[in-house]
Amino acid sequence: MMNDIIAYLESIDPILAALYATLFTWGVTALGASLVFFFKKMNRALFDGMLGFTGGVMVAASFWSLLAPGIEMSPGEGFIKVMPAAIGFFLGALFIFGLDKILPHLHVNFKMDEKEGIKTPWHKSVLLTLAITLHNIPEGLAIGVLFGGVAAGFDGATIGGAVALAIGIGLQNFPEGFAVAMPLRGQGLSRWKSFNYGQLSAAVEPIAAVLGAWAVMTFQPILPYALAFAAGAMIFVVVEEVIPESQRDKFTDISTMGFIGGFILMMTLDVALG
């Protein structure tokens, strides 16, 4: 089954392949958000564990799927070889840092007076959705960049690796959809509205993926920078948002073990399929 999927994605346009992969990750987000139809409230221990899992997947993907291939395909030796990754990583973190300061959003588990970005009268539902959307921009970009790299024929970029990344990001999108929908349900929104806000947070992934694949195919020398850019953006999100969100209650050990589990799973997927 997996071999058939990889073979099919190899046979089609890479931009279309990136789109299909991120439609899958969007669908898994919607699946996580759909839990709002079956549960009235959120189990905090489970929730923190899933947040930790999300962080583990993102950190492992940043290294195994993005940084390591980016360094491998860079020309030169020593400091020269690692410079594209270092520059791209910094620019990716700086990009999300800028969005974090401008885009109004509210992290899960945070109170309204802790919202970030420019001041706005927007409702909590919108702010929570935008916070998770911020997570999903680098995730979609990473998938698109990898598919574009495969089309450009770069060593270290494989369809198997791109599929592994899409699967890993899809799995960690499940708790992200849940993370938006359930708190909104707790705030009094209907199940349908809570679900719609939850799944909407991943709508940006296909857009980012298509742009990433197109950019790499059009400007091939940027691939090592682009891979590291996505990695830097993801690591910024993990350190600035995901980990603090998962450590605000008494279930810190559960969230930490969730992180370890997510890291192991993503590492295994990348090595096995990539």
Side-chain angles (χ1 to χ4, degrees), residues 1 8 45 54 59 61-62 65 80 98 111 125 137 153 160 170 175 191 195 223 233 257 262 264 266:
M1 178 66 177
Y8 172 71
T54 293
V59 169
S62 296
S65 299
I80 295 176
K111 299 177 182 178
S125 56
I137 292 173
R191 285 186 169 88
F195 167 77
L223 180 59
M257 293 309 297
I264 292 171
M266 185 65 238

Side-chain angles (χ1 to χ4, degrees), residues 39-51:
F39 298 98
K40 292 183 178 179
K41 62 181 182 179
M42 182 170 55
N43 181 299
R44 186 57 186 267
L46 175 62
F47 180 70
D48 285 350
M50 290 196 299
L51 276 179

Side-chain angles (χ1 to χ4, degrees), residues 94-167:
L94 189 63
F95 172 69
I96 298 298
F97 172 80
L99 283 182
D100 188 67
K101 297 303 179 187
I102 297 171
L103 186 69
H105 63 284
L106 177 68
H107 301 318
V108 179
N109 296 333
F110 283 50
K111 299 177 182 178
M112 276 297 287
D113 60 4
E114 297 177 281
K115 62 185 178 182
E116 300 180 14
I118 60 176
K119 293 183 179 181
T120 174
W122 292 348
H123 192 272
K124 185 175 183 178
S125 56
V126 177
L127 296 175
L128 283 170
T129 303
L130 288 175
I132 301 298
T133 300
L134 204 60
H135 294 199
N136 291 327
I137 292 173
E139 294 168 6
L141 182 64
I143 293 172
V145 164
L146 266 184
F147 275 105
V150 174
F154 280 89
D155 292 335
T158 66
I159 286 289
V163 169
L165 180 61
I167 292 172

Side-chain angles (χ1 to χ4, degrees), residues 35-259:
L35 292 179
V36 76
F37 294 110
F38 306 101
F39 298 98
K40 292 183 178 179
K41 62 181 182 179
M42 182 170 55
N43 181 299
R44 186 57 186 267
L46 175 62
F47 180 70
D48 285 350
M50 290 196 299
L51 276 179
F53 176 86
T54 293
V57 168
M58 293 175 75
V59 169
S62 296
F63 176 74
W64 295 98
S65 299
L66 302 171
L67 278 176
I71 293 171
E72 180 183 341
M73 65 184 62
S74 297
E77 298 293 337
F79 286 109
I80 295 176
K81 188 174 185 64
V82 79
M83 284 307 295
I87 294 170
F89 190 87
F90 174 74
L91 292 177
L94 189 63
F95 172 69
I96 298 298
F97 172 80
L99 283 182
D100 188 67
K101 297 303 179 187
I102 297 171
L103 186 69
H105 63 284
L106 177 68
H107 301 318
V108 179
N109 296 333
F110 283 50
K111 299 177 182 178
M112 276 297 287
D113 60 4
E114 297 177 281
K115 62 185 178 182
E116 300 180 14
I118 60 176
K119 293 183 179 181
T120 174
W122 292 348
H123 192 272
K124 185 175 183 178
S125 56
V126 177
L127 296 175
L128 283 170
T129 303
L130 288 175
I132 301 298
T133 300
L134 204 60
H135 294 199
N136 291 327
I137 292 173
E139 294 168 6
L141 182 64
I143 293 172
V145 164
L146 266 184
F147 275 105
V150 174
F154 280 89
D155 292 335
T158 66
I159 286 289
V163 169
L165 180 61
I167 292 172
I169 287 176
L171 290 175
Q172 62 92 38
N173 273 6
F174 184 86
E176 287 189 352
F178 179 77
V180 176
M182 290 305 293
L184 294 180
R185 178 59 180 158
Q187 292 291 321
L189 268 69
S190 69
R191 285 186 169 88
W192 271 108
K193 282 188 176 180
S194 300
F195 167 77
N196 282 330
Y197 277 116
Q199 61 84 24
L200 189 62
S201 65
V204 70
E205 287 191 358
I207 299 171
V210 168
L211 288 175
W214 172 83
V216 168
M217 293 174 63
T218 306
F219 309 102
Q220 294 186 15
I222 73 168
L223 180 59
Y225 297 90
L227 289 169
F229 183 96
M234 290 174 71
I235 292 296
F236 184 93
V237 167
V238 172
V239 176
E240 203 273 338
E241 299 182 17
V242 177
I243 292 177
E245 289 169 14
S246 71
Q247 299 286 317
R248 286 175 67 90
D249 210 314
K250 60 184 178 181
F251 304 108
T252 56
D253 288 343
I254 293 176
S255 64
T256 300
M257 293 309 297
F259 182 98

